[in-house]
Amino acid sequence: MNSSNGTAEVSAEITLSAHELSRSYGGARAVDGIALELRRGEVLGLLGPNGAGKTTTMQMLTGNLAPSTGSISICGIDLLERPAAAKARLGYLPEIPPLYKELRVDEYLRLAARLHRVARGRVADALQQAKSHCGLMEMGQRLIGALSKGYQQRVGIAQAIIHAPDVVILDEPTVGLDPNQIRDIRTLIRDLSDRHSVILSTHILPEVEAVCDRVQILHRGRIVFNDRIEALRQFRGAPVLLVGFRRAPAPEEVAALPGVGGVRRGPEGMLRVERSGEADPTDVLVEAAVARGWGLTHLAPEHASLEDVFVQLTRQDAPEAMQAAA
Amino acid sequence: MIRLIALKELRLLFASPLAWVVLAFLQGFFAWVFLSQLQSWLELQAQIAAQPGAPGVTEWVVAPLFATATIVLLMVVPLLSMRMVAEERRAQTLPFLMSSPVSITQIVLGKYLALLLFLALAVGLIVIMAFSLFAAGRLDLGLLAANALGLLLMGGSFAAVGLYLSCLTAQPLVAAVGTFAVLLGLWLINISTRDPDSLLHMLSLMRHFENFAKGIVALPDLAYYLVLIALFLFLSIRRLDGDQLRA
């Protein structure tokens, strides 16, 4: 499902670039010398645990926070030197959608368009487009304060894209939504990448897999991983098998099977079976379970969780991780 | 852009009942003062008309109305200005303005313009009330204009102070109380001064209105209000600018 529509060509125009970006709060470095680059048509996932510096980074990229050091340019326009010109090409949805609850959806979006310098005659068109894009066609006359959380989030996205910016920056756009809404918003973000380039922050790994072309993982203000989404999959390693039996054998007995690297106890009496090398122990497990009457009840690959990836990325000083960050 | 932000602020101001309640309260209160002054003038007119240099209807009815209005605005403007920035902070809507191609100066001026337009409306209603006297006689238009200008400048100063205090906090109520305290302080700053040449007289908000009340538009008074307004607008811009550095 990911990268379905034209993963950004390497030759595509660079829409956003940031170098040596740092930000300190008091003595603490929230963001420490990170670099970002975004090309037209690309969806970049900014991934990281809470407090990793995602929001700080996005605030700097959108001109809400002055970086301590570093430079940012949007389509070649320096954000710090010519903020107005650069911001006109930006759309930003902060973590908490900046909505005026007393306004109607149409009023608010029209204001967003005019503030972002959409010409007066073009506002009606832009409004229609943004609304149809975000599934807000029926909602124009509703008060924003009276909308559900999901619709408010859509209004937030609509205000970020109404002026057809080159770069759209979305800070945790699916937080607090129900699964259907999350799916809608993800589809919407994929659609956006046709015309805009998107930076998206999240701490949910499947979300990144679903919508992003490229991932940068932040940890304690540093980038510990920066590569295409396929590389992240490899980085997560071969899946572990989660196996359940009605009459569970001793873990040692399972560990002795060919192709099995190691066995650990899993949840609810199940076993986590690791691979040894490239071999896939699935067939062996099934045959052994039948032959020895273990009564197989569950057999499924279990991907490493984001937590595991983090542990991997932040614990090991693997040279590849370092290279990726460079 | 300034106009756009001012329109947005006015729209938000009038979306809440506060603005309507304030306007209704002002109008009701002023009407009451106006009518009671008018009644006393009607009762005394016969007696004082004979005297040379007797006060006319404008002096007797309109000037006290404006003097009362300054005190009422002192209490009301903090309620109008308190939400300007503090509410945006509280509701976290400030990024909407900060990430749009609008400078902080434009944001502050836009918000201030909205307050000024609201005050102009309130002052305008008083002026219209005074015009009703045309039905019965003649008005001293110069005196009326000086009073209206003075009141607008006074209210404008209140609004500038209120806007700055609103930039300092995320709690609208704190901004309102703070604004009221600062304004009352500036109002009464010279209250215990015996020396007529004291510098404190120069700083007093009330003192500078006295000339306007008499129909005199003097440069020092004009300058005082304009400098006060400019100072607090500048401080507001500085403060919001500093947010991006501090946050």
Side-chain angles (χ1 to χ4, degrees), chain B residues 230-242:
Chain B
L231 173 70
F232 277 95
L233 290 183
F234 173 72
L235 287 175
S236 303
I237 294 168
R238 281 292 302 270
R239 170 69 208 195
L240 282 182
D241 234 346

PDB file of all heavy atoms in Angstrom, chain B residues 230-242:
ATOM      1  N   ALA B 230       1.898  53.712  21.624  1.00  0.00           N
ATOM      2  CA  ALA B 230       3.022  53.188  20.842  1.00  0.00           C
ATOM      3  C   ALA B 230       3.926  52.326  21.718  1.00  0.00           C
ATOM      4  O   ALA B 230       4.377  51.253  21.299  1.00  0.00           O
ATOM      5  CB  ALA B 230       3.817  54.345  20.230  1.00  0.00           C
ATOM      6  N   LEU B 231       4.155  52.791  22.939  1.00  0.00           N
ATOM      7  CA  LEU B 231       5.039  52.062  23.851  1.00  0.00           C
ATOM      8  C   LEU B 231       4.510  50.652  24.123  1.00  0.00           C
ATOM      9  O   LEU B 231       5.235  49.656  24.002  1.00  0.00           O
ATOM     10  CB  LEU B 231       5.185  52.826  25.170  1.00  0.00           C
ATOM     11  CG  LEU B 231       5.944  52.088  26.272  1.00  0.00           C
ATOM     12  CD1 LEU B 231       7.419  51.983  25.911  1.00  0.00           C
ATOM     13  CD2 LEU B 231       5.780  52.782  27.614  1.00  0.00           C
ATOM     14  N   PHE B 232       3.219  50.571  24.458  1.00  0.00           N
ATOM     15  CA  PHE B 232       2.701  49.261  24.817  1.00  0.00           C
ATOM     16  C   PHE B 232       2.521  48.354  23.601  1.00  0.00           C
ATOM     17  O   PHE B 232       2.638  47.132  23.718  1.00  0.00           O
ATOM     18  CB  PHE B 232       1.401  49.399  25.625  1.00  0.00           C
ATOM     19  CG  PHE B 232       1.675  49.663  27.078  1.00  0.00           C
ATOM     20  CD1 PHE B 232       1.687  50.956  27.576  1.00  0.00           C
ATOM     21  CD2 PHE B 232       1.982  48.623  27.947  1.00  0.00           C
ATOM     22  CE1 PHE B 232       1.974  51.206  28.911  1.00  0.00           C
ATOM     23  CE2 PHE B 232       2.270  48.864  29.276  1.00  0.00           C
ATOM     24  CZ  PHE B 232       2.266  50.156  29.768  1.00  0.00           C
ATOM     25  N   LEU B 233       2.277  48.944  22.430  1.00  0.00           N
ATOM     26  CA  LEU B 233       2.231  48.112  21.222  1.00  0.00           C
ATOM     27  C   LEU B 233       3.615  47.558  20.922  1.00  0.00           C
ATOM     28  O   LEU B 233       3.780  46.383  20.568  1.00  0.00           O
ATOM     29  CB  LEU B 233       1.704  48.920  20.033  1.00  0.00           C
ATOM     30  CG  LEU B 233       0.225  49.273  20.095  1.00  0.00           C
ATOM     31  CD1 LEU B 233      -0.199  50.008  18.833  1.00  0.00           C
ATOM     32  CD2 LEU B 233      -0.626  48.021  20.274  1.00  0.00           C
ATOM     33  N   PHE B 234       4.615  48.410  21.099  1.00  0.00           N
ATOM     34  CA  PHE B 234       5.996  47.978  20.878  1.00  0.00           C
ATOM     35  C   PHE B 234       6.365  46.845  21.841  1.00  0.00           C
ATOM     36  O   PHE B 234       6.937  45.829  21.444  1.00  0.00           O
ATOM     37  CB  PHE B 234       6.937  49.173  21.062  1.00  0.00           C
ATOM     38  CG  PHE B 234       8.389  48.810  21.018  1.00  0.00           C
ATOM     39  CD1 PHE B 234       8.989  48.453  19.822  1.00  0.00           C
ATOM     40  CD2 PHE B 234       9.166  48.826  22.168  1.00  0.00           C
ATOM     41  CE1 PHE B 234      10.323  48.109  19.773  1.00  0.00           C
ATOM     42  CE2 PHE B 234      10.502  48.481  22.132  1.00  0.00           C
ATOM     43  CZ  PHE B 234      11.083  48.117  20.929  1.00  0.00           C
ATOM     44  N   LEU B 235       5.988  47.031  23.102  1.00  0.00           N
ATOM     45  CA  LEU B 235       6.273  45.989  24.099  1.00  0.00           C
ATOM     46  C   LEU B 235       5.574  44.675  23.737  1.00  0.00           C
ATOM     47  O   LEU B 235       6.127  43.595  23.912  1.00  0.00           O
ATOM     48  CB  LEU B 235       5.827  46.448  25.493  1.00  0.00           C
ATOM     49  CG  LEU B 235       6.699  47.513  26.160  1.00  0.00           C
ATOM     50  CD1 LEU B 235       6.071  47.968  27.476  1.00  0.00           C
ATOM     51  CD2 LEU B 235       8.104  46.992  26.403  1.00  0.00           C
ATOM     52  N   SER B 236       4.352  44.780  23.219  1.00  0.00           N
ATOM     53  CA  SER B 236       3.613  43.570  22.827  1.00  0.00           C
ATOM     54  C   SER B 236       4.347  42.838  21.709  1.00  0.00           C
ATOM     55  O   SER B 236       4.477  41.613  21.739  1.00  0.00           O
ATOM     56  CB  SER B 236       2.205  43.925  22.343  1.00  0.00           C
ATOM     57  OG  SER B 236       1.510  44.633  23.339  1.00  0.00           O
ATOM     58  N   ILE B 237       4.809  43.607  20.729  1.00  0.00           N
ATOM     59  CA  ILE B 237       5.516  42.989  19.602  1.00  0.00           C
ATOM     60  C   ILE B 237       6.787  42.318  20.103  1.00  0.00           C
ATOM     61  O   ILE B 237       7.082  41.175  19.754  1.00  0.00           O
ATOM     62  CB  ILE B 237       5.852  44.055  18.532  1.00  0.00           C
ATOM     63  CG1 ILE B 237       4.558  44.576  17.914  1.00  0.00           C
ATOM     64  CG2 ILE B 237       6.758  43.474  17.462  1.00  0.00           C
ATOM     65  CD1 ILE B 237       4.727  45.820  17.076  1.00  0.00           C
ATOM     66  N   ARG B 238       7.504  43.030  20.968  1.00  0.00           N
ATOM     67  CA  ARG B 238       8.729  42.468  21.529  1.00  0.00           C
ATOM     68  C   ARG B 238       8.441  41.164  22.269  1.00  0.00           C
ATOM     69  O   ARG B 238       9.156  40.184  22.155  1.00  0.00           O
ATOM     70  CB  ARG B 238       9.377  43.462  22.507  1.00  0.00           C
ATOM     71  CG  ARG B 238      10.138  44.563  21.858  1.00  0.00           C
ATOM     72  CD  ARG B 238      11.382  44.011  21.172  1.00  0.00           C
ATOM     73  NE  ARG B 238      12.250  43.316  22.113  1.00  0.00           N
ATOM     74  CZ  ARG B 238      13.219  43.893  22.799  1.00  0.00           C
ATOM     75  NH1 ARG B 238      13.454  45.165  22.634  1.00  0.00           N
ATOM     76  NH2 ARG B 238      13.945  43.188  23.634  1.00  0.00           N
ATOM     77  N   ARG B 239       7.369  41.196  23.027  1.00  0.00           N
ATOM     78  CA  ARG B 239       7.030  40.041  23.849  1.00  0.00           C
ATOM     79  C   ARG B 239       6.709  38.814  22.977  1.00  0.00           C
ATOM     80  O   ARG B 239       7.179  37.712  23.210  1.00  0.00           O
ATOM     81  CB  ARG B 239       5.845  40.402  24.750  1.00  0.00           C
ATOM     82  CG  ARG B 239       5.221  39.272  25.479  1.00  0.00           C
ATOM     83  CD  ARG B 239       6.137  38.723  26.540  1.00  0.00           C
ATOM     84  NE  ARG B 239       5.842  37.325  26.763  1.00  0.00           N
ATOM     85  CZ  ARG B 239       6.257  36.623  27.801  1.00  0.00           C
ATOM     86  NH1 ARG B 239       6.994  37.186  28.706  1.00  0.00           N
ATOM     87  NH2 ARG B 239       5.928  35.365  27.915  1.00  0.00           N
ATOM     88  N   LEU B 240       5.896  39.018  21.940  1.00  0.00           N
ATOM     89  CA  LEU B 240       5.532  37.890  21.074  1.00  0.00           C
ATOM     90  C   LEU B 240       6.737  37.417  20.269  1.00  0.00           C
ATOM     91  O   LEU B 240       6.904  36.229  20.012  1.00  0.00           O
ATOM     92  CB  LEU B 240       4.395  38.288  20.126  1.00  0.00           C
ATOM     93  CG  LEU B 240       3.007  38.318  20.756  1.00  0.00           C
ATOM     94  CD1 LEU B 240       1.968  38.666  19.712  1.00  0.00           C
ATOM     95  CD2 LEU B 240       2.676  36.983  21.396  1.00  0.00           C
ATOM     96  N   ASP B 241       7.593  38.361  19.887  1.00  0.00           N
ATOM     97  CA  ASP B 241       8.831  38.021  19.205  1.00  0.00           C
ATOM     98  C   ASP B 241       9.682  37.132  20.100  1.00  0.00           C
ATOM     99  O   ASP B 241      10.238  36.129  19.665  1.00  0.00           O
ATOM    100  CB  ASP B 241       9.609  39.310  18.903  1.00  0.00           C
ATOM    101  CG  ASP B 241       9.948  39.403  17.443  1.00  0.00           C
ATOM    102  OD1 ASP B 241       9.808  38.371  16.758  1.00  0.00           O
ATOM    103  OD2 ASP B 241      10.342  40.474  16.995  1.00  0.00           O
ATOM    104  N   GLY B 242       9.754  37.526  21.377  1.00  0.00           N
ATOM    105  CA  GLY B 242      10.569  36.791  22.341  1.00  0.00           C
ATOM    106  C   GLY B 242      10.064  35.367  22.540  1.00  0.00           C
ATOM    107  O   GLY B 242      10.841  34.468  22.824  1.00  0.00           O
TER     108      GLY B 242
END
